mmCIF file of all heavy atoms in Angstrom:
data_model
loop_
_atom_site.group_PDB
_atom_site.id
_atom_site.type_symbol
_atom_site.label_atom_id
_atom_site.label_comp_id
_atom_site.label_asym_id
_atom_site.label_seq_id
_atom_site.Cartn_x
_atom_site.Cartn_y
_atom_site.Cartn_z
ATOM 1 N N LEU Y 1 -8.551 -3.793 3.170
ATOM 2 C CA LEU Y 1 -8.845 -2.941 2.004
ATOM 3 C C LEU Y 1 -10.097 -3.410 1.279
ATOM 4 O O LEU Y 1 -10.810 -2.589 0.679
ATOM 5 C CB LEU Y 1 -7.650 -2.929 1.054
ATOM 6 C CG LEU Y 1 -6.449 -2.117 1.541
ATOM 7 C CD1 LEU Y 1 -5.243 -2.330 0.637
ATOM 8 C CD2 LEU Y 1 -6.795 -0.630 1.614
ATOM 9 N N ASP Y 2 -10.385 -4.696 1.342
ATOM 10 C CA ASP Y 2 -11.654 -5.187 0.771
ATOM 11 C C ASP Y 2 -12.836 -4.601 1.523
ATOM 12 O O ASP Y 2 -13.890 -4.327 0.940
ATOM 13 C CB ASP Y 2 -11.711 -6.715 0.844
ATOM 14 C CG ASP Y 2 -10.777 -7.388 -0.155
ATOM 15 O OD1 ASP Y 2 -10.373 -6.708 -1.131
ATOM 16 O OD2 ASP Y 2 -10.444 -8.568 0.050
ATOM 17 N N LEU Y 3 -12.658 -4.392 2.822
ATOM 18 C CA LEU Y 3 -13.733 -3.861 3.662
ATOM 19 C C LEU Y 3 -13.829 -2.343 3.587
ATOM 20 O O LEU Y 3 -14.915 -1.775 3.708
ATOM 21 C CB LEU Y 3 -13.509 -4.288 5.116
ATOM 22 C CG LEU Y 3 -13.623 -5.790 5.391
ATOM 23 C CD1 LEU Y 3 -13.026 -6.132 6.750
ATOM 24 C CD2 LEU Y 3 -15.092 -6.233 5.321
ATOM 25 N N LYS Y 4 -12.674 -1.668 3.410
ATOM 26 C CA LYS Y 4 -12.664 -0.206 3.322
ATOM 27 C C LYS Y 4 -11.462 0.234 2.492
ATOM 28 O O LYS Y 4 -10.317 0.157 2.937
ATOM 29 C CB LYS Y 4 -12.586 0.428 4.717
ATOM 30 C CG LYS Y 4 -12.678 1.952 4.669
ATOM 31 C CD LYS Y 4 -12.664 2.568 6.055
ATOM 32 C CE LYS Y 4 -12.749 4.092 5.970
ATOM 33 N NZ LYS Y 4 -12.727 4.728 7.295
ATOM 34 N N LYS Y 5 -11.727 0.706 1.297
ATOM 35 C CA LYS Y 5 -10.639 1.069 0.380
ATOM 36 C C LYS Y 5 -9.950 2.371 0.784
ATOM 37 O O LYS Y 5 -8.777 2.566 0.515
ATOM 38 C CB LYS Y 5 -11.175 1.168 -1.059
ATOM 39 C CG LYS Y 5 -11.698 -0.159 -1.598
ATOM 40 C CD LYS Y 5 -11.950 -0.099 -3.071
ATOM 41 C CE LYS Y 5 -12.535 -1.420 -3.560
ATOM 42 N NZ LYS Y 5 -11.652 -2.568 -3.307
ATOM 43 N N THR Y 6 -10.698 3.288 1.415
ATOM 44 C CA THR Y 6 -10.109 4.569 1.854
ATOM 45 C C THR Y 6 -9.482 4.383 3.237
ATOM 46 O O THR Y 6 -9.941 4.951 4.232
ATOM 47 C CB THR Y 6 -11.190 5.662 1.911
ATOM 48 O OG1 THR Y 6 -12.237 5.231 2.791
ATOM 49 C CG2 THR Y 6 -11.759 5.933 0.529
ATOM 50 N N ASN Y 7 -8.435 3.600 3.271
ATOM 51 C CA ASN Y 7 -7.917 3.062 4.516
ATOM 52 C C ASN Y 7 -6.413 3.321 4.576
ATOM 53 O O ASN Y 7 -5.623 2.552 4.048
ATOM 54 C CB ASN Y 7 -8.230 1.561 4.519
ATOM 55 C CG ASN Y 7 -7.758 0.835 5.757
ATOM 56 O OD1 ASN Y 7 -6.976 1.350 6.545
ATOM 57 N ND2 ASN Y 7 -8.219 -0.386 5.890
ATOM 58 N N PRO Y 8 -5.966 4.419 5.207
ATOM 59 C CA PRO Y 8 -4.549 4.798 5.146
ATOM 60 C C PRO Y 8 -3.590 3.783 5.760
ATOM 61 O O PRO Y 8 -2.494 3.582 5.259
ATOM 62 C CB PRO Y 8 -4.496 6.125 5.909
ATOM 63 C CG PRO Y 8 -5.716 6.153 6.754
ATOM 64 C CD PRO Y 8 -6.752 5.385 6.002
ATOM 65 N N ILE Y 9 -3.998 3.137 6.853
ATOM 66 C CA ILE Y 9 -3.096 2.192 7.523
ATOM 67 C C ILE Y 9 -2.796 0.997 6.627
ATOM 68 O O ILE Y 9 -1.635 0.605 6.432
ATOM 69 C CB ILE Y 9 -3.683 1.740 8.870
ATOM 70 C CG1 ILE Y 9 -3.685 2.907 9.867
ATOM 71 C CG2 ILE Y 9 -2.894 0.559 9.445
ATOM 72 C CD1 ILE Y 9 -4.385 2.621 11.177
ATOM 73 N N ALA Y 10 -3.836 0.398 6.058
ATOM 74 C CA ALA Y 10 -3.627 -0.765 5.190
ATOM 75 C C ALA Y 10 -2.807 -0.393 3.967
ATOM 76 O O ALA Y 10 -1.902 -1.127 3.567
ATOM 77 C CB ALA Y 10 -4.971 -1.357 4.783
ATOM 78 N N HIS Y 11 -3.103 0.760 3.350
ATOM 79 C CA HIS Y 11 -2.320 1.191 2.189
ATOM 80 C C HIS Y 11 -0.855 1.428 2.567
ATOM 81 O O HIS Y 11 0.054 1.092 1.806
ATOM 82 C CB HIS Y 11 -2.923 2.469 1.589
ATOM 83 C CG HIS Y 11 -4.089 2.218 0.690
ATOM 84 N ND1 HIS Y 11 -3.978 1.484 -0.476
ATOM 85 C CD2 HIS Y 11 -5.394 2.609 0.780
ATOM 86 C CE1 HIS Y 11 -5.173 1.438 -1.074
ATOM 87 N NE2 HIS Y 11 -6.042 2.100 -0.325
ATOM 88 N N ASN Y 12 -0.629 2.005 3.745
ATOM 89 C CA ASN Y 12 0.744 2.253 4.179
ATOM 90 C C ASN Y 12 1.532 0.954 4.301
ATOM 91 O O ASN Y 12 2.660 0.846 3.814
ATOM 92 C CB ASN Y 12 0.749 2.982 5.524
ATOM 93 C CG ASN Y 12 2.137 3.047 6.138
ATOM 94 O OD1 ASN Y 12 3.061 3.601 5.551
ATOM 95 N ND2 ASN Y 12 2.303 2.449 7.308
ATOM 96 N N TYR Y 13 0.936 -0.038 4.961
ATOM 97 C CA TYR Y 13 1.666 -1.288 5.169
ATOM 98 C C TYR Y 13 1.778 -2.111 3.894
ATOM 99 O O TYR Y 13 2.786 -2.817 3.690
ATOM 100 C CB TYR Y 13 1.040 -2.085 6.316
ATOM 101 C CG TYR Y 13 1.492 -1.547 7.650
ATOM 102 C CD1 TYR Y 13 0.762 -0.567 8.322
ATOM 103 C CD2 TYR Y 13 2.687 -1.975 8.216
ATOM 104 C CE1 TYR Y 13 1.203 -0.047 9.518
ATOM 105 C CE2 TYR Y 13 3.141 -1.461 9.421
ATOM 106 C CZ TYR Y 13 2.394 -0.498 10.066
ATOM 107 O OH TYR Y 13 2.853 0.019 11.253
ATOM 108 N N MET Y 14 0.807 -2.014 3.008
ATOM 109 C CA MET Y 14 0.944 -2.665 1.710
ATOM 110 C C MET Y 14 2.059 -1.994 0.908
ATOM 111 O O MET Y 14 2.784 -2.651 0.149
ATOM 112 C CB MET Y 14 -0.376 -2.619 0.944
ATOM 113 C CG MET Y 14 -1.445 -3.560 1.499
ATOM 114 S SD MET Y 14 -0.941 -5.299 1.545
ATOM 115 C CE MET Y 14 -0.949 -5.675 -0.209
ATOM 116 N N SER Y 15 2.209 -0.682 1.090
ATOM 117 C CA SER Y 15 3.327 0.035 0.466
ATOM 118 C C SER Y 15 4.658 -0.493 0.980
ATOM 119 O O SER Y 15 5.576 -0.790 0.213
ATOM 120 C CB SER Y 15 3.213 1.537 0.756
ATOM 121 O OG SER Y 15 4.392 2.211 0.380
ATOM 122 N N MET Y 16 4.749 -0.619 2.304
ATOM 123 C CA MET Y 16 5.977 -1.105 2.921
ATOM 124 C C MET Y 16 6.320 -2.515 2.439
ATOM 125 O O MET Y 16 7.469 -2.812 2.063
ATOM 126 C CB MET Y 16 5.808 -1.101 4.449
ATOM 127 C CG MET Y 16 7.047 -1.461 5.229
ATOM 128 S SD MET Y 16 6.683 -1.594 7.010
ATOM 129 C CE MET Y 16 6.079 0.058 7.352
ATOM 130 N N ILE Y 17 5.320 -3.390 2.440
ATOM 131 C CA ILE Y 17 5.527 -4.786 2.022
ATOM 132 C C ILE Y 17 5.938 -4.851 0.557
ATOM 133 O O ILE Y 17 6.860 -5.591 0.188
ATOM 134 C CB ILE Y 17 4.245 -5.612 2.280
ATOM 135 C CG1 ILE Y 17 4.009 -5.754 3.791
ATOM 136 C CG2 ILE Y 17 4.344 -6.986 1.618
ATOM 137 C CD1 ILE Y 17 2.616 -6.248 4.153
ATOM 138 N N SER Y 18 5.282 -4.059 -0.278
ATOM 139 C CA SER Y 18 5.593 -4.066 -1.715
ATOM 140 C C SER Y 18 7.029 -3.613 -1.966
ATOM 141 O O SER Y 18 7.765 -4.216 -2.749
ATOM 142 C CB SER Y 18 4.621 -3.161 -2.474
ATOM 143 O OG SER Y 18 3.289 -3.607 -2.333
ATOM 144 N N ILE Y 19 7.427 -2.531 -1.292
ATOM 145 C CA ILE Y 19 8.788 -1.996 -1.476
ATOM 146 C C ILE Y 19 9.825 -2.995 -0.973
ATOM 147 O O ILE Y 19 10.871 -3.198 -1.601
ATOM 148 C CB ILE Y 19 8.926 -0.637 -0.772
ATOM 149 C CG1 ILE Y 19 8.121 0.420 -1.543
ATOM 150 C CG2 ILE Y 19 10.385 -0.213 -0.661
ATOM 151 C CD1 ILE Y 19 8.017 1.755 -0.848
ATOM 152 N N GLN Y 20 9.533 -3.651 0.161
ATOM 153 C CA GLN Y 20 10.447 -4.670 0.679
ATOM 154 C C GLN Y 20 10.619 -5.825 -0.304
ATOM 155 O O GLN Y 20 11.683 -6.453 -0.360
ATOM 156 C CB GLN Y 20 9.936 -5.197 2.026
ATOM 157 C CG GLN Y 20 10.106 -4.213 3.170
ATOM 158 C CD GLN Y 20 9.427 -4.675 4.454
ATOM 159 O OE1 GLN Y 20 8.626 -5.618 4.443
ATOM 160 N NE2 GLN Y 20 9.733 -4.012 5.555
ATOM 161 N N ASN Y 21 9.585 -6.086 -1.094
ATOM 162 C CA ASN Y 21 9.639 -7.160 -2.084
ATOM 163 C C ASN Y 21 10.150 -6.684 -3.439
ATOM 164 O O ASN Y 21 10.113 -7.432 -4.421
ATOM 165 C CB ASN Y 21 8.243 -7.788 -2.263
ATOM 166 C CG ASN Y 21 7.814 -8.556 -1.019
ATOM 167 O OD1 ASN Y 21 8.648 -9.071 -0.267
ATOM 168 N ND2 ASN Y 21 6.512 -8.637 -0.791
ATOM 169 N N GLY Y 22 10.612 -5.411 -3.491
ATOM 170 C CA GLY Y 22 11.152 -4.883 -4.733
ATOM 171 C C GLY Y 22 10.105 -4.413 -5.727
ATOM 172 O O GLY Y 22 10.436 -4.068 -6.871
ATOM 173 N N GLN Y 23 8.833 -4.362 -5.305
ATOM 174 C CA GLN Y 23 7.749 -3.894 -6.187
ATOM 175 C C GLN Y 23 7.552 -2.388 -5.945
ATOM 176 O O GLN Y 23 6.591 -1.954 -5.329
ATOM 177 C CB GLN Y 23 6.463 -4.675 -5.897
ATOM 178 C CG GLN Y 23 6.590 -6.173 -6.152
ATOM 179 C CD GLN Y 23 5.375 -6.940 -5.648
ATOM 180 O OE1 GLN Y 23 5.007 -6.886 -4.474
ATOM 181 N NE2 GLN Y 23 4.731 -7.663 -6.560
ATOM 182 N N PHE Y 24 8.493 -1.600 -6.453
ATOM 183 C CA PHE Y 24 8.539 -0.180 -6.116
ATOM 184 C C PHE Y 24 7.346 0.602 -6.661
ATOM 185 O O PHE Y 24 6.800 1.464 -5.976
ATOM 186 C CB PHE Y 24 9.853 0.424 -6.604
ATOM 187 C CG PHE Y 24 11.064 -0.225 -6.008
ATOM 188 C CD1 PHE Y 24 12.031 -0.820 -6.808
ATOM 189 C CD2 PHE Y 24 11.239 -0.270 -4.631
ATOM 190 C CE1 PHE Y 24 13.133 -1.431 -6.246
ATOM 191 C CE2 PHE Y 24 12.347 -0.875 -4.062
ATOM 192 C CZ PHE Y 24 13.295 -1.464 -4.876
ATOM 193 N N LYS Y 25 6.943 0.318 -7.865
ATOM 194 C CA LYS Y 25 5.812 1.038 -8.455
ATOM 195 C C LYS Y 25 4.539 0.806 -7.646
ATOM 196 O O LYS Y 25 3.790 1.742 -7.339
ATOM 197 C CB LYS Y 25 5.608 0.601 -9.906
ATOM 198 C CG LYS Y 25 4.522 1.383 -10.626
ATOM 199 C CD LYS Y 25 4.408 0.966 -12.088
ATOM 200 C CE LYS Y 25 3.285 1.746 -12.797
ATOM 201 N NZ LYS Y 25 3.148 1.330 -14.209
ATOM 202 N N LYS Y 26 4.308 -0.440 -7.294
ATOM 203 C CA LYS Y 26 3.132 -0.782 -6.492
ATOM 204 C C LYS Y 26 3.220 -0.128 -5.111
ATOM 205 O O LYS Y 26 2.230 0.397 -4.592
ATOM 206 C CB LYS Y 26 3.032 -2.302 -6.357
ATOM 207 C CG LYS Y 26 1.807 -2.786 -5.597
ATOM 208 C CD LYS Y 26 1.777 -4.314 -5.545
ATOM 209 C CE LYS Y 26 0.572 -4.805 -4.749
ATOM 210 N NZ LYS Y 26 0.569 -6.294 -4.650
ATOM 211 N N GLY Y 27 4.421 -0.142 -4.534
ATOM 212 C CA GLY Y 27 4.616 0.473 -3.226
ATOM 213 C C GLY Y 27 4.376 1.969 -3.256
ATOM 214 O O GLY Y 27 3.771 2.530 -2.339
ATOM 215 N N ILE Y 28 4.839 2.627 -4.308
ATOM 216 C CA ILE Y 28 4.627 4.075 -4.468
ATOM 217 C C ILE Y 28 3.144 4.388 -4.576
ATOM 218 O O ILE Y 28 2.644 5.345 -3.954
ATOM 219 C CB ILE Y 28 5.395 4.592 -5.703
ATOM 220 C CG1 ILE Y 28 6.900 4.605 -5.417
ATOM 221 C CG2 ILE Y 28 4.910 5.989 -6.112
ATOM 222 C CD1 ILE Y 28 7.765 4.864 -6.628
ATOM 223 N N GLU Y 29 2.397 3.583 -5.318
ATOM 224 C CA GLU Y 29 0.949 3.806 -5.486
ATOM 225 C C GLU Y 29 0.219 3.682 -4.152
ATOM 226 O O GLU Y 29 -0.632 4.507 -3.815
ATOM 227 C CB GLU Y 29 0.383 2.811 -6.495
ATOM 228 C CG GLU Y 29 0.816 3.075 -7.931
ATOM 229 C CD GLU Y 29 0.379 1.976 -8.884
ATOM 230 O OE1 GLU Y 29 -0.219 0.987 -8.403
ATOM 231 O OE2 GLU Y 29 0.649 2.103 -10.096
ATOM 232 N N HIS Y 30 0.550 2.647 -3.386
ATOM 233 C CA HIS Y 30 -0.096 2.467 -2.072
ATOM 234 C C HIS Y 30 0.257 3.619 -1.127
ATOM 235 O O HIS Y 30 -0.604 4.109 -0.386
ATOM 236 C CB HIS Y 30 0.334 1.137 -1.441
ATOM 237 C CG HIS Y 30 -0.460 -0.044 -1.893
ATOM 238 N ND1 HIS Y 30 -1.816 -0.171 -1.657
ATOM 239 C CD2 HIS Y 30 -0.076 -1.164 -2.574
ATOM 240 C CE1 HIS Y 30 -2.244 -1.323 -2.153
ATOM 241 N NE2 HIS Y 30 -1.212 -1.944 -2.720
ATOM 242 N N ALA Y 31 1.506 4.071 -1.136
ATOM 243 C CA ALA Y 31 1.927 5.167 -0.259
ATOM 244 C C ALA Y 31 1.172 6.446 -0.597
ATOM 245 O O ALA Y 31 0.714 7.169 0.294
ATOM 246 C CB ALA Y 31 3.432 5.386 -0.376
ATOM 247 N N LYS Y 32 1.032 6.734 -1.886
ATOM 248 C CA LYS Y 32 0.305 7.943 -2.313
ATOM 249 C C LYS Y 32 -1.158 7.880 -1.881
ATOM 250 O O LYS Y 32 -1.739 8.893 -1.462
ATOM 251 C CB LYS Y 32 0.419 8.109 -3.818
ATOM 252 C CG LYS Y 32 1.792 8.585 -4.286
ATOM 253 C CD LYS Y 32 1.838 8.762 -5.797
ATOM 254 C CE LYS Y 32 3.187 9.327 -6.245
ATOM 255 N NZ LYS Y 32 3.264 9.469 -7.721
ATOM 256 N N LYS Y 33 -1.754 6.703 -1.993
ATOM 257 C CA LYS Y 33 -3.143 6.558 -1.549
ATOM 258 C C LYS Y 33 -3.261 6.767 -0.046
ATOM 259 O O LYS Y 33 -4.191 7.425 0.433
ATOM 260 C CB LYS Y 33 -3.672 5.180 -1.937
ATOM 261 C CG LYS Y 33 -3.964 5.020 -3.424
ATOM 262 C CD LYS Y 33 -4.485 3.626 -3.740
ATOM 263 C CE LYS Y 33 -4.764 3.479 -5.232
ATOM 264 N NZ LYS Y 33 -5.217 2.106 -5.578
ATOM 265 N N SER Y 34 -2.325 6.215 0.698
ATOM 266 C CA SER Y 34 -2.347 6.377 2.151
ATOM 267 C C SER Y 34 -2.280 7.856 2.534
ATOM 268 O O SER Y 34 -3.056 8.325 3.382
ATOM 269 C CB SER Y 34 -1.170 5.614 2.778
ATOM 270 O OG SER Y 34 -1.175 5.754 4.184
#
């Protein structure tokens, strides 16, 4: 994401990781961006 912010794959997996860690708001934001 540092290299390319408009990056659906990285946002998707950051969403997954965030939700798995209980960070639902952050996970929702990454999923929407993806």
